[in-house]
């Protein structure tokens, strides 16, 4: 039931154009100002980043100071994260790992 809910919410976010695909989450420097400039167009919207299990350290450090940014690995990603987030950013590696987890649970 939870798998179906997660798939349905992912489809809904995609339909609403609130599911955004990015190549990687890697940042050159661990600067909050750098990440803030990237997410600034989204204002105070709540953002959830689905990152690979091995998330870039610089990205983790930069995101830790932003209140509207939430990082989730594929193992942690669940329905409440989707409901609380206005936008979901998905990395290529993150979605591949999530697909593998979903396939193994079916």
């Amino acid at each position: 039931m939870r798998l179906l809910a997660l798939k349905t919410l992912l489809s809904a976010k995609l339909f609403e154009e609130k599911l955004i695909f990015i190549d990687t989450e890697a940042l050159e420097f661990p600067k909050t100002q750098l990440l803030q400039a990237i997410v600034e167009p989204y204002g105070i919207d709540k953002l959830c980043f689905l990152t690979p299990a091995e998330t870039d350290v610089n990205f983790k450090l930069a995101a830790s100071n932003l209140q509207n940014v939430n990082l989730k690995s594929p193992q942690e990603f669940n329905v409440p994260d989707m409901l609380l987030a206005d936008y979901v950013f998905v990395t290529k590696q993150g979605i591949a790992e999530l697909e593998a987890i979903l396939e193994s649970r079916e």
Side-chain angles (χ1 to χ4, degrees):
M1 193 90 150
R2 291 184 311 187
L3 292 176
L4 181 59
L6 185 62
K7 290 177 184 179
T8 303
L9 282 172
L10 280 170
S11 296
K13 290 283 186 191
L14 183 63
F15 180 75
E16 295 172 349
E17 296 182 0
K18 293 188 175 192
L19 183 65
I20 301 167
F21 295 94
I22 56 177
D23 287 332
T24 182
E25 81 284 1
L27 294 176
E28 192 172 344
F29 303 105
K31 298 288 185 181
T32 301
Q33 290 176 338
L34 180 62
L35 184 56
Q36 178 63 40
I38 293 169
V39 299
E40 190 172 348
Y42 299 96
I44 59 170
D45 290 335
K46 293 181 180 153
L47 310 176
C48 182
F49 282 82
L50 175 61
T51 60
E54 297 294 323
T55 305
D56 181 59
V57 176
N58 290 341
F59 187 78
K60 277 185 185 179
L61 291 171
S64 66
N65 293 327
L66 297 176
Q67 293 178 348
N68 66 327
V69 174
N70 188 12
L71 301 182
K72 293 292 179 174
S73 69
Q75 295 82 7
E76 301 170 329
F77 195 67
N78 54 35
V79 173
D81 296 325
M82 297 271 299
L83 291 172
L84 294 174
D86 295 316
Y87 289 91
V88 178
F89 291 80
V90 181
T91 64
K92 287 182 180 180
Q93 184 65 33
I95 196 71
E97 290 179 19
L98 181 64
E99 285 176 0
I101 290 170
L102 294 177
E103 287 176 6
S104 69
R105 290 183 182 172
E106 287 182 355

